[in-house]
C-alpha cells in the first residue's frame, strides 16, 4: 500500500509542479519575445487562412455542394498547415533543451540534487509540449471558423487536435533524446530533424498506403497506424479497428504507441544522463518487450501481403533479417567497452547470462541473442495469429495446436526460416566480435563504437560497387552468380537458393567471429595485465 | 559523519584518484589541498554522486554514495568550480527552483530563501537578474543555492577562485559560520593561505594520492619531526653554537651573521626548556627565544614534489 502511495506521490511530483518545467515556464513568459512570436504565428495563420479561403469560395456562382467541398478542402489546408508547423517547431523547441544545460554545465547542479533523470526529462518535455499546445490553442479561431462555415464538425476538429498533439509528443520526445545525445546545440537540432523526418515519412507512407486506397464512401475500418501520421489526421479521425465485436477507435492504440515511443525515448535519454541510475536496465527490459510486440504486430499486419507464397519460411526469414537491421545503431552501445568515466562500460567478461538486463559489456551478446530470439518468436506468432484470423485453413487443426514456431511445417519452408534465422544470429555475432576487437585496441569507447559502426557500413556497402563494376550484367536475385560474394545478398533475394546461401554465410561469419572474439579477449587480457603491472609499480613506489 | 573509503577513479589513460580515505565529523572544515590536476574535483564529484567510483565508496551518515545516491544527495550541497547559472532568471527564482527540486515544501520556500539570502548577504539582490550580479555575488548565490535544503555536507570546489581579498575574507567568515552550525564542509583549493586559517582539518593530495590528512596542527607536527627554534644571545653566538651542538636533541645549530641562532631541534617542550636552561647555565644571555611556526605551506612544500598527472 505504501509503495503504491509512494509511487503515486513520486509521479505527482514528476508531472505536476515539476520544478524544471516551472522554471522554464517563467522564462518563456518573460519579456515580449513569446508575445511577439505567438503574435506573428497568429497573423501568419490567419493570413494564410484568409488567402486560401478567398481562393476557395471567392467564386459566388457555385452550387452549395461545390461550396461545401471547397470548404472542406479549406479545412484540410488549415490542418495540413498546422501539422507542418508542429513538425517544424516541435523538434526545434526541444532539441536544444538538454544540450544547453550540458553546455552551461548546470546538469551537475541538477543531478547533485535528489532529482531522477525522469523528473528532469519530463520537466523538459512538459515545457516544450506546453508550447506546442499554445500553438494549437491559438489556431482554434481559424479552425473554429471552419466549423462555423460548415467545413468540418467540432468532433473532427477535436479529434484532429488530439491526434496532432499525440504526434507532437512523439516528435518532442525523439528530439529530447537527440538533445541528450548531441554534443552541441546546432548538431542537436540537425540530429532531431534527421530522426524525426524518417518517422514522419514512415508513418505518412504507412497511413497513406491505406487511406488513399479507399474510394468514396469507404468503410472507416483501418489499421490503427493510420492515426500515427500528423499529415493524415483528418482522414484518420473517424477510423477504427474491429477487435472481435468491438470497434476500437484508432486513436486509442495510437495513443498507446505514442506513449510507448515516448517512454523508450525518455528511458534512453535517462540512461545516457544518469551515471548510476536504473534507467539503463529498465531500458533493456522495455526494449525487449516492445521489440517483440512491434514485430508481432508487423507479422500480424503483413499476413495478407506476405500471403501464402510457396516460400513462406524464406519470406519470414528475410523479414526477420530486415526488421533487425536497426540493431546496428544500438549494438555499439552494448558491445563496446572502455573507460568513459562510467563503470557501466568496464570490461567484465565476454558472455554472462546472469543479470542479462544489466547493461554491461558481458551481457551485450546474450541480450542481442535474446532480442533476435524474441523477434523471431514475435514475428512468427504475429503471422500465425494473422493466418488464423484470415480464416484460411491450409493448416490442419493438429498443426494449429502446436506452437507457432512449429506451425511453419517443412512444406511451408520452415527449414528456410531456420537457415535465415541462423544467418541473422551469425551476422550479429560477427559484428559483436568486431566490436570486441575494436574495444580491445584500447582506443577509447567512442572510437571503438565508431569503428564497429563503420566496419558494418563498409562490409555491407563496399562489395556493391565492386560487384557492379566487375559484372554489371548479373542480377541480385536468382541463382548463384557473382552477387553471391555479398553477404547480404540472401536477404534481397527471393529465389529458392537464397536461404542456402544465407546458411553458407552463417557458417562463414561464425567461423570468422570465433577467432576474432578470442583474439580480442587475449588482447584485452594482455592490456589488463599491463595496467595491473603499472598499478603495482606505482603503488609500491608510493 | 562522512567516511570516505578507499575511493578510486580510473580514466582511460590514468588513475585520477588512487584510493583516497578519510573521515569527517560535523563541524569539521576540511581543507582539500592539491595542485592542478591532483584529483580534487574528481574526488568531490564522486562524493557528490555525479561520478561513479571505479572502486571504493563513501558514506554520509550511513548512506552509501554508490548504493543509495538519492539519500546522499538529500544531505549534500555541491558547489562546482564553475557557476552553472541560468539566464533570464531572478535571484529568488533561481533559489526557488533549487528549493523545489530539493523538495522543500512550497509553503516554507519563501522563508528558506530569505534565510539563505540573509546568510549570504544577498537580500538586496533578491529581485535582480542572476546575470546582472557581480562575480563575487554570483559565487555567493551559488553557495546560497547549496544551503536551501540545510545540508549536512557541503562540497565546495575552489569557492574562492576569482574573488577579491574582501570577498574572500567574507567567504571565509561564512564558511567558518557553517562549521559552527555543525555542518561538514569540504573546501578544495590549490592556494594554501586561503585555507590555512579557517580549516581545522586538512588533506593534501597529489597525483591522486592523499599524502597526509588530519587536524592542522597534528599534520604539521607529523610532517615536521623537528622544530626550528630561533634564539638571540647577547654576545658570543659562536660559543653558544658550540655548546648547543653538544646537546643530544639538537640536530644542527647555526649562527646567522647578525648573531641569531637557528636550532633544528628534535625534542619536545620539556627539552626546549632544558635547552634554554643549558644556555643560561653556560653563561650565555638569551634575550629572545621562539619557535618558528611551521605552517601548511611548509608542510605542503615538504610533502609534494610538484608532480602532476
Ligand atoms: N573525464 C575525464 N577523462 C579523463 N581524464 C580526466 C577526466 N576528468 C579528469 N581527468 C584527469 O584526472 C586528473 C584529476 O583531475 P581533477 O579535475 O580531479 O583535478 P583537480 O585537482 O580538481 O585540479 P584543478 O585544481 O585544476 O581543478 C587530471 O589529470 C585530469 O586530466
Ligand atoms: Mg578542480
Amino acid at each position: 500500500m505504501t509503495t503504491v502511495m509512494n509511487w503515486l506521490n513520486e509521479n505527482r511530483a514528476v508531472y505536476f509542479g515539476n520544478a524544471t518545467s516551472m522554471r522554464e515556464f517563467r522564462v518563456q513568459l518573460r519579456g515580449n519575445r513569446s508575445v511577439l512570436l505567438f503574435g506573428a504565428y497568429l497573423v501568419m495563420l490567419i493570413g494564410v487562412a484568409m488567402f486560401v479561403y478567398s481562393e476557395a469560395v471567392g467564386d459566388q456562382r457555385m452550387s452549395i455542394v461545390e461550396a461545401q467541398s471547397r470548404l472542406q478542402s479549406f479545412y484540410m489546408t488549415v490542418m495540413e498547415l498546422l501539422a507542418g508547423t508542429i513538425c517544424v517547431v516541435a523538434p526545434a523547441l526541444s532539441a536544444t533543451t538538454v544540450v544547453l544545460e550540458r553546455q552551461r554545465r548546470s546538469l551537475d547542479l541538477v543531478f547533485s540534487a535528489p532529482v531522477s533523470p525522469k523528473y528532469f526529462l519530463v520537466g523538459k518535455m512538459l515545457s516544450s509540449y506546453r508550447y506546442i499546445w499554445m500553438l494549437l490553442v491559438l489556431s482554434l479561431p481559424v479552425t473554429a471558423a471552419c466549423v462555423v462555415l460548415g467545413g468540418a464538425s467540432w468532433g473532427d476538429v477535436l479529434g484532429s487536435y488530439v491526434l496532432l498533439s499525440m504526434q507532437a509528443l512523439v516528435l518532442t520526445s525523439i528530439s529530447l533524446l537527440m538533445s541528450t545525445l548531441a554534443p552541441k546545440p546546432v548538431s542537436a537540432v540537425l540530429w532531431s530533424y534527421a530522426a524525426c523526418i524518417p518517422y514522419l515519412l514512415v508513418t505518412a507512407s504507412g497511413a497513406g498506403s491505406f487511406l488513399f486506397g479507399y474510394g468514396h464512401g469507404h468503410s472507416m475500418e483501418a489499421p490503427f497506424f493510420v492515426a500515427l501520421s500528423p499529415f493524415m489526421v483528418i482522414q484518420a479521425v473517424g477510423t477504427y479497428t474491429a477487435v472481435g465485436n468491438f470497434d476500437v477507435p484508432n486513436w486509442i492504440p495510437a495513443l498507446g504507441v505514442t506513449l510507448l515511443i515516448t517512454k523508450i525515448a525518455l528511458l534512453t535519454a535517462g540512461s545516457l544522463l544518469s551515471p548510476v541510475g536504473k534507467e539503463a536496465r529498465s531500458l533493456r527490459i522495455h526494449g525487449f518487450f516492445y521489440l517483440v510486440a512491434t514485430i508481432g504486430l508487423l507479422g500480424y499486419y503483413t499476413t495478407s501481403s506476405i500471403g501464402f507464397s510457396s516460400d513462406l519460411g524464406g519470406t519470414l526469414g528475410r523479414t526477420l533479417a530486415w526488421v533487425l537491421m536497426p540493431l546496428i545503431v544500438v549494438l555499439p552501445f552494448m558491445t563496446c567497452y572502455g573507460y568513459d568515466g562510467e563503470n557501466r562500460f568496464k570490461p567484465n567478461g565476454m558472455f554472462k547470462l546472469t543479470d542479462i538486463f544489466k547493461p554491461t559489456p558481458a551481457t551485450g551478446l546474450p541480450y542481442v541473442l535474446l532480442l533476435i530470439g524474441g523477434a523471431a518468436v514475435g514475428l512468427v506468432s504475429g503471422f500465425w495469429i494473422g493466418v488464423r484470423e484470415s480464416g484460411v485453413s491450409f493448416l490442419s487443426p493438429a498443426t494449429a495446436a502446436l506452437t507457432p514456431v512449429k506451425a511453419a511445417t517443412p512444406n511451408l519452408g520452415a527449414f528456410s526460416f531456420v537457415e535465415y534465422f541462423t544467418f541473422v544470429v551469425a551476422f550479429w555475432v560477427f559484428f559483436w566480435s568486431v566490436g570486441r576487437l575494436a574495444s580491445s585496441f584500447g582506443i577509447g569507447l567512442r572510437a571503438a563504437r565508431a569503428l564497429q559502426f563503420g566496419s558494418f557500413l563498409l562490409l555491407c556497402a563496399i562489395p556493391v560497387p565492386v560487384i557492379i563494376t566487375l559484372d554489371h550484367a548479373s542480377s541480385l536475385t536468382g541463382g548463384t552468380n557473382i552477387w553471391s560474394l555479398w553477404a547480404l545478398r540472401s536477404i534481397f533475394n527471393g529465389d529458392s537458393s537464397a536461404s542456402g546461401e544465407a546458411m553458407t554465410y552463417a557458417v562463414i561469419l561464425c567461423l570468422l567471429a570465433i577467432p576474432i572474439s578470442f583474439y580480442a579477449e587475449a588482447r584485452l587480457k594482455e592490456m589488463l595485465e599491463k595496467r595491473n603491472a603499472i598499478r603495482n609499480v606505482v603503488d609500491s613506489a608510493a | 559523519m562522512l567516511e570516505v573509503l578507499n575511493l578510486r577513479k580510473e580514466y582511460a589513460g590514468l588513475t585520477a584518484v588512487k584510493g583516497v580515505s578519510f573521515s569527517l565529523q560535523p563541524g569539521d572544515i576540511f581543507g582539500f589541498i592539491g595542485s592542478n590536476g591532483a584529483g580534487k574535483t574528481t574526488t568531490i564529484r564522486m562524493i557528490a554522486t555525479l561520478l561513479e567510483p571505479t572502486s571504493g565508496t563513501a558514506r554520509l551518515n550511513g548512506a552509501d554514495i554508490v548504493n543509495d545516491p538519492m539519500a546522499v544527495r538529500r544531505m549534500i550541497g555541491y558547489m562546482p568550480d564553475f557557476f552553472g547559472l541560468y539566464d533570464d532568471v531572478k535571484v529568488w527564482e533561481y533559489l526557488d527552483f533549487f528549493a523545489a527540486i530539493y523538495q522543500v515544501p512550497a509553503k516554507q520556500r519563501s522563508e528558506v530563501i530569505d534565510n539563505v539570502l540573509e546568510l549570504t548577504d544577498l537580500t538586496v539582490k533578491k529581485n535582480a537578474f542572476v546575470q546582472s550580479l557581480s562575480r563575487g555575488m554570483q559565487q555567493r548565490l551559488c553557495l546560497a543555492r547549496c544551503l536551501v535544503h540545510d545540508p549536512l555536507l557541503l562540497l565546495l570546489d575552489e569557492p574562492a577562485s576569482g574573488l577579491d581579498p574582501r570577498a574572500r575574507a567574507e567567504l571565509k567568515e561564512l564558511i567558518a559560520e557553517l562549521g559552527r552550525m555543525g555542518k561538514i564542509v569540504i573546501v578544495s583549493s590549490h592556494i594554501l593561505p586561503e585555507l590555512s586559517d579557517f580549516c581545522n582539518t586538512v588533506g593534501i593530495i597529489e597525483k591522486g594520492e592523499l599524502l597526509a590528512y588530519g587536524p592542522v596542527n597534528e599534520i604539521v607536527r607529523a610532517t615536521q619531526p623537528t622544530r626550528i627554534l630561533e634564539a638571540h644571545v647577547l654576545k658570543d653566538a659562536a660559543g653558544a653554537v658550540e655548546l648547543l651542538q653538544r646537546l643530544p636533541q639538537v640536530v644542527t645549530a647555526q649562527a646567522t651573521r647578525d648573531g641569531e641562532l637557528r636550532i633544528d631541534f628534535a625534542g619536545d617542550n620539556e627539552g626546549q626548556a632544558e635547552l634554554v636552561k643549558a644556555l643560561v647555565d653556560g653563561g650565555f644571555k638569551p634575550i629572545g627565544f621562539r619557535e618558528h611556526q611551521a605552517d601548511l605551506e611548509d608542510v605542503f612544500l615538504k610533502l609534494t614534489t610538484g608532480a602532476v598527472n
Side-chain angles (χ1 to χ4, degrees):
Chain A
M1 200 57 206
T2 48
T3 48
V4 173
M5 285 309 284
N6 283 345
W7 183 82
L8 280 177
N9 275 334
E10 193 194 310
N11 278 287
R12 201 195 51 196
V14 168
Y15 293 100
F16 303 98
N18 185 304
T20 310
S21 114
M22 270 297 286
R23 195 203 64 235
E24 307 233 324
F25 191 46
R26 275 182 184 141
V27 177
Q28 278 170 9
L29 289 185
R30 181 153 288 148
N32 314 333
R33 209 171 42 201
S34 46
V35 176
L36 279 177
L37 228 61
F38 284 131
Y41 163 74
L42 205 56
V43 167
M44 182 204 78
L45 205 62
I46 292 175
V48 172
M50 300 263 282
F51 175 74
V52 176
Y53 182 72
S54 64
E55 287 285 300
V57 283
D59 193 350
Q60 294 297 319
R61 283 164 302 170
M62 70 186 135
S63 66
I64 299 284
V65 180
E66 196 178 357
Q68 187 69 22
S69 95
R70 286 196 173 189
L71 269 172
Q72 266 168 11
S73 69
F74 166 62
Y75 171 65
M76 266 169 128
T77 316
V78 170
M79 284 323 267
E80 293 301 323
L81 196 69
L82 211 52
T85 312
I86 282 173
C87 293
V88 171
V89 172
L93 263 185
S94 41
T96 51
T97 47
V98 181
V99 72
L100 269 183
E101 294 240 3
R102 193 196 296 282
Q103 235 181 16
R104 212 191 288 118
R105 307 228 270 160
S106 44
L107 275 183
D108 266 8
L109 305 188
V110 174
F111 287 118
S112 68
V115 165
S116 63
K118 177 181 171 185
Y119 183 93
F120 174 75
L121 289 168
V122 170
K124 289 286 178 197
M125 199 176 73
L126 288 179
S127 58
S128 306
Y129 198 45
R130 189 170 40 216
Y131 228 81
I132 304 287
W133 264 100
M134 287 199 222
L135 292 182
L136 285 178
V137 169
L138 281 179
S139 72
L140 261 179
V142 179
T143 41
C146 294
V147 177
V148 174
L149 293 173
S153 71
W154 278 116
D156 288 343
V157 170
L158 283 181
S160 306
Y161 273 42
V162 168
L163 291 184
L164 265 186
S165 60
M166 270 160 43
Q167 292 323 304
L169 188 66
V170 172
L171 298 179
T172 301
S173 56
I174 292 177
S175 311
L176 209 54
L177 170 59
M178 293 301 141
S179 189
T180 41
L181 268 171
K184 289 198 196 89
V186 180
S187 42
V189 173
L190 291 179
W191 294 12
S192 296
Y193 283 118
C196 287
I197 288 171
Y199 173 80
L200 292 171
L201 286 180
V202 168
T203 51
S205 60
S209 67
F210 272 88
L211 291 170
F212 291 131
Y214 294 146
H216 262 292
H218 57 77
S219 122
M220 293 300 273
E221 187 173 350
F224 78 92
F225 55 79
V226 298
L228 288 179
S229 173
F231 298 109
M232 309 280 167
V233 286
I234 297 179
Q235 295 87 337
V237 151
T239 58
Y240 62 85
T241 304
V243 177
N245 289 328
F246 294 101
D247 292 344
V248 180
N250 276 335
W251 66 266
I252 294 177
L255 178 65
V257 171
T258 303
L259 293 179
L260 291 188
I261 296 178
T262 308
K263 171 123 199 171
I264 280 279
L266 291 195
L267 271 178
T268 314
S271 61
L272 288 168
L273 278 179
S274 131
V276 285
K278 308 184 247 349
E279 279 74 15
R281 184 201 183 88
S282 127
L283 176 64
R284 276 204 174 179
I285 296 173
H286 284 266
F288 172 72
F289 286 108
Y290 295 172
L291 181 84
V292 174
T294 313
I295 290 182
L297 275 178
L298 187 87
Y300 176 78
Y301 275 111
T302 46
T303 304
S304 56
S305 57
I306 289 179
F308 308 107
S309 66
S310 55
D311 184 29
L312 185 56
T315 315
L316 279 178
R318 281 189 294 277
T319 313
L320 181 69
W322 276 113
V323 294
L324 286 173
M325 277 301 159
L327 263 186
I328 190 53
V329 186
V330 283
L331 194 70
F333 290 93
M334 299 197 291
T335 47
C336 291
Y337 53 81
Y339 292 80
D340 87 327
E342 288 180 37
N343 274 349
R344 208 186 288 159
F345 306 109
K346 240 175 39 173
N348 65 334
M350 240 168 124
F351 192 91
K352 209 167 80 185
L353 272 176
T354 50
D355 223 354
I356 188 168
F357 290 114
K358 191 174 170 197
T360 61
T363 57
L365 183 58
Y367 182 67
V368 169
L369 295 179
L370 183 71
L371 286 183
I372 297 174
V377 171
L379 185 69
V380 175
S381 338
F383 183 79
W384 175 240
I385 295 169
V387 169
R388 292 284 307 269
E389 274 195 3
S390 68
V392 182
S393 55
F394 65 99
L395 293 166
S396 70
T399 331
L402 295 172
T403 60
V405 183
K406 281 192 188 149
T409 46
N411 58 345
L412 296 172
F415 189 62
S416 338
F417 183 77
V418 170
E419 282 178 316
Y420 272 111
F421 179 77
T422 318
F423 170 74
V424 172
V425 169
F427 184 79
W428 292 110
V429 170
F430 173 72
F431 280 107
W432 165 82
S433 71
V434 171
R436 299 285 296 187
L437 183 66
S439 309
S440 75
F441 294 143
I443 47 178
L445 199 53
R446 268 168 184 267
R449 284 173 180 162
L451 203 62
Q452 187 185 19
F453 187 71
S455 71
F456 173 87
L457 294 184
L458 280 184
L459 289 170
C460 293
I462 277 213
V464 176
V466 173
I467 289 171
I468 290 175
T469 33
L470 285 179
D471 177 5
H472 52 84
S474 294
S475 134
L476 189 57
T477 53
T480 311
N481 62 20
I482 188 169
W483 279 103
S484 303
L485 291 174
W486 189 32
L488 286 184
R489 182 196 188 196
S490 54
I491 67 173
F492 287 92
N493 189 358
D495 196 75
S496 56
S497 66
S499 67
E501 224 166 85
M503 195 59 201
T504 313
Y505 268 103
V507 174
I508 294 175
L509 289 172
C510 271
L511 287 180
L512 285 172
I514 292 169
I516 291 179
S517 50
F518 278 97
Y519 173 64
E521 216 47 28
R523 282 194 64 106
L524 170 65
K525 221 169 147 190
E526 202 178 305
M527 190 166 79
L528 289 180
E529 267 163 19
K530 228 181 264 170
R531 284 176 69 102
N532 269 336
I534 293 173
R535 186 186 296 171
N536 289 341
V537 169
V538 168
D539 287 355
S540 61
Chain B
M1 164 185 180
L2 172 73
E3 295 166 283
V4 177
L5 305 165
N6 217 358
L7 267 188
R8 184 177 187 97
K9 182 72 205 177
E10 291 172 12
Y11 287 115
L14 86 174
T15 309
V17 175
K18 301 168 187 164
V20 163
S21 306
F22 56 85
S23 75
L24 299 171
Q25 301 293 336
D28 280 355
I29 300 178
F30 179 68
F32 199 30
I33 313 168
S35 36
N36 291 134
K40 305 181 295 290
T41 301
T42 309
T43 309
I44 289 180
R45 280 171 54 83
M46 283 192 280
I47 300 175
T49 75
L50 292 169
L51 201 59
E52 195 181 2
T54 308
S55 64
T57 186
R59 286 195 206 103
L60 183 57
N61 273 4
D64 192 292
I65 56 164
V66 179
N67 299 329
D68 198 1
M70 284 300 175
V72 174
R73 288 177 187 185
R74 270 180 213 113
M75 293 186 277
I76 58 170
Y78 167 60
M79 179 169 163
D81 50 357
F82 51 84
F83 289 139
L85 293 172
Y86 292 102
D87 291 338
D88 262 342
V89 167
K90 291 178 179 172
V91 167
W92 76 266
E93 289 171 345
Y94 182 74
L95 294 174
D96 187 67
F97 167 63
F98 281 99
I101 65 172
Y102 276 107
Q103 293 152 18
V104 176
K107 282 180 199 129
Q108 295 166 24
R109 273 182 224 156
S110 77
E111 192 189 331
V112 164
I113 291 172
D114 286 342
N115 285 345
V116 294
L117 284 176
E118 173 93 50
L119 196 65
T120 50
D121 210 7
L122 281 172
T123 309
V124 288
K125 293 288 181 187
K126 186 173 174 180
N127 285 307
F129 278 98
V130 165
Q131 66 264 41
S132 75
L133 299 185
S134 77
R135 192 186 162 93
M137 289 173 183
Q138 291 189 346
Q139 199 90 328
R140 286 203 303 246
L141 177 60
C142 288
L143 189 53
R145 170 186 66 71
C146 299
L147 295 170
V148 287
H149 57 300
D150 194 21
L152 170 63
L153 170 66
L154 280 161
L155 299 162
L156 312 179
D157 200 356
E158 317 231 355
S161 64
L163 296 187
D164 66 24
R166 170 160 216 99
R168 233 168 248 234
E170 282 168 7
L171 183 73
K172 283 181 199 174
E173 189 40 53
L174 186 55
I175 292 174
E177 173 64 28
L178 293 172
R180 285 194 290 276
M181 286 161 74
K183 301 192 185 306
I184 307 172
V185 188
I186 296 184
V187 193
S188 88
S189 178
H190 52 273
I191 308 166
L192 282 161
E194 209 173 82
L195 298 178
S196 48
D197 39 340
F198 68 99
C199 292
N200 49 23
T201 320
V202 286
I204 294 175
I205 185 170
E206 185 177 55
K207 282 174 49 177
E209 280 174 85
L210 199 60
L211 300 178
Y213 126 80
V216 176
N217 44 9
E218 264 178 38
I219 286 242
V220 172
R221 274 268 170 280
T223 53
Q224 309 274 326
T226 61
R227 43 184 113 177
I228 306 290
L229 304 177
E230 292 166 343
H232 226 107
V233 289
L234 209 48
K235 57 174 192 273
D236 192 14
V241 166
E242 219 167 283
L243 173 112
L244 286 170
Q245 270 167 349
R246 284 200 300 271
L247 295 178
Q249 287 169 315
V250 171
V251 183
T252 57
Q254 300 162 344
T256 57
R257 207 169 293 155
D258 55 351
E260 193 182 51
L261 302 172
R262 274 185 78 87
I263 309 153
D264 197 357
F265 184 66
D268 54 4
N269 289 344
E270 196 72 24
Q272 205 169 312
E274 291 291 321
L275 187 138
V276 182
K277 186 165 178 289
L279 272 180
V280 175
D281 291 349
F284 300 98
K285 295 178 177 153
I287 52 173
F289 191 89
R290 65 187 184 99
E291 181 181 343
H292 172 81
Q293 213 60 54
D295 57 18
L296 275 178
E297 192 110 28
D298 296 317
V299 175
F300 183 72
L301 293 175
K302 177 157 181 175
L303 281 178
T304 61
T305 56
V308 286
N309 262 327

